[in-house]
Amino acid sequence: MKTRYIASLLVLAFATAGSPAWAQAQTQDNPLGTPAAAIGKFSENYAEAVRMALPPIDSAGLAKVMERVQAAATNSRPLAISNSAELEKFFGLRSRNPDKSGDFVDAGDAVYRFEPQAGRLYVTWRQTDVKPVARATFASRIKGIRASHEALAKRLGISADEVMFTDFREILTKTDRRVPASTAATADTPIMAEGATTTMLRAVGGVLVEGSYLRVSSPDARRMSLVKASWPRVQLADASARQLRAPKDMLDEFAKRVANDSRGVPVSVRMAVVLRPADPAKPGMYVPSLKIGVEPKAIKTADGYRTDAGMVYYSDLLKDSPAFVEASGGDTAEAEKGTAPN
């Protein structure tokens, strides 16, 4: 029996505030995120934890940032594929003439799904000849795989200017010696490599676009096993015509919500200004929002440590918006929409 390890980015729907993507959105000198001094600090004083986590940007600074986003959005481009026929040609897939977009289509050696209005595509290939190799052997393939993923992004029309963060990781596997299938399987075997995955996160005007990304997995530089993307044309939902509020204006509301949900457990809080999908019916339409991640501290128990999942909140940065909103309308790099055929 094999256990597969793939260290994935928690991007669109992270459970804690510890992912590389989240950290990238709040570097030391970035006024759009939690100051570095507050990162990783746990406290039962929720008002203080929230205050320390607030991005320092004020409403005037936020307005300038949104002007920059608005200007950059006018040059944003969707994927360089506009219909299923183009997708089949782009990836060399067997044509099935799907009746409508948004459905999973079985193209024989691959399964795909394309939602042109939302700028979302998903292609997975059926591969039966991929064999794990030693990580030392796989190391010689990494440069070629990286280059092939970067070339694919370029062919898809993804501008390097909109790539905020790129994560490259090996896909690892190990035979589980606790479930022996034979005498040989009882030996402790090394972790092997089956391929690698690149994830590119998107920013427009320097602001992270929630749910917009490209993910590519490959066993080698010649083949792909998965391509998954959400990369629509970006429009800002009327933010320039409405008064923006600074994160600090909502300090009391944030502190009350965190205190109510945390129930005495020490927590670490992180925040970042992002562009949140505004409406599922309007793909590509975004609103400036504050993303708030609350990570509970691990609790020691008789059996070890219990780590709760934590919470994620959004608060739109428009002065007449409610304190909290339900996130909707965006795909994530961690979740699939529906189930693909086997």
Side-chain angles (χ1 to χ4, degrees):
M1 178 180 179
K2 292 194 300 182
T3 302
R4 302 185 69 219
Y5 302 85
I6 174 169
S8 301
L9 287 173
L10 299 177
V11 188
L12 322 273
F14 66 93
T16 69
S19 72
W22 186 253
Q24 183 74 10
Q26 48 186 43
T27 56
Q28 291 186 30
D29 300 320
N30 191 343
L32 301 179
T34 294
I39 295 175
K41 304 290 186 182
F42 288 87
S43 176
E44 297 176 31
N45 185 338
Y46 303 121
E48 180 64 10
V50 169
R51 188 192 64 77
M52 291 182 62
L54 287 169
I57 195 164
D58 59 18
S59 56
L62 192 61
K64 291 180 180 179
V65 169
M66 289 307 129
E67 287 176 7
R68 185 179 72 213
V69 171
Q70 193 81 277
T74 61
N75 297 317
S76 73
R77 296 181 298 172
L79 296 172
I81 298 174
S82 59
N83 56 58
S84 295
E86 289 182 3
L87 183 143
E88 290 173 339
K89 183 177 181 180
F90 186 95
F91 290 108
L93 304 177
R94 185 184 306 169
S95 179
R96 290 296 187 183
N97 298 316
D99 295 331
K100 58 182 179 179
S101 64
D103 288 342
F104 281 111
V105 179
D106 193 331
D109 61 345
V111 174
Y112 75 82
R113 182 176 185 171
F114 186 46
E115 300 170 81
Q117 294 301 316
R120 284 196 288 262
L121 70 81
Y122 169 89
V123 187
T124 183
W125 283 262
R126 295 183 173 103
Q127 296 174 340
T128 58
D129 60 342
V130 176
K131 296 181 180 179
V133 299
R135 295 188 70 187
T137 301
F138 186 77
S140 63
R141 302 180 186 178
I142 288 177
K143 183 177 179 180
I145 293 175
R146 280 181 179 271
S148 69
H149 291 179
E150 291 170 1
L152 175 65
K154 188 174 182 179
R155 287 178 59 216
L156 284 170
I158 290 175
S159 170
D161 292 339
E162 290 191 0
V163 176
M164 180 181 192
F165 179 82
T166 300
D167 183 81
F168 181 88
R169 305 196 180 204
E170 295 174 64
I171 301 172
L172 306 178
T173 184
K174 188 181 193 306
T175 299
D176 192 340
R177 61 188 178 89
R178 294 171 300 177
V179 189
S182 65
T183 303
T186 61
D188 192 10
T189 57
I191 294 175
M192 309 283 277
E194 286 189 349
T197 296
T198 295
T199 302
M200 298 180 181
L201 302 184
R202 185 185 193 184
V204 171
V207 180
L208 184 70
V209 182
E210 283 288 275
S212 192
Y213 65 94
L214 169 69
R215 169 165 286 175
V216 188
S217 296
S218 299
D220 51 52
R222 295 177 295 103
R223 297 176 295 172
M224 292 173 290
S225 56
L226 171 73
V227 176
K228 188 167 182 270
S230 178
W231 207 279
R233 187 185 302 279
V234 170
Q235 299 179 66
L236 203 56
D238 199 28
S240 61
R242 300 170 67 181
Q243 196 169 3
L244 299 169
R245 66 188 179 200
K248 66 180 180 181
D249 295 341
M250 301 299 291
L251 172 61
D252 290 343
E253 287 83 353
F254 296 162
K256 290 176 184 176
R257 180 70 179 267
V258 171
N260 183 66
D261 292 347
S262 299
R263 300 180 180 180
V265 176
V267 298
S268 175
V269 181
R270 287 196 187 183
M271 304 183 189
V273 175
V274 301
L275 300 179
R276 180 185 69 81
D279 187 341
K282 298 177 181 178
M285 189 68 69
Y286 293 86
V287 62
S289 189
L290 188 67
K291 186 175 185 179
I292 306 163
V294 181
E295 178 188 2
K297 191 172 185 179
I299 300 173
K300 190 172 183 179
T301 67
D303 298 322
Y305 286 87
R306 190 192 82 212
T307 303
D308 295 330
M311 300 292 293
V312 177
Y313 311 109
Y314 290 87
S315 178
D316 290 347
L317 295 170
L318 303 173
K319 205 149 195 177
D320 56 353
S321 294
F324 298 96
V325 294
E326 294 296 326
S328 62
D331 187 15
T332 81
E334 294 307 311
E336 306 294 351
K337 292 184 66 184
T339 303
N342 293 322

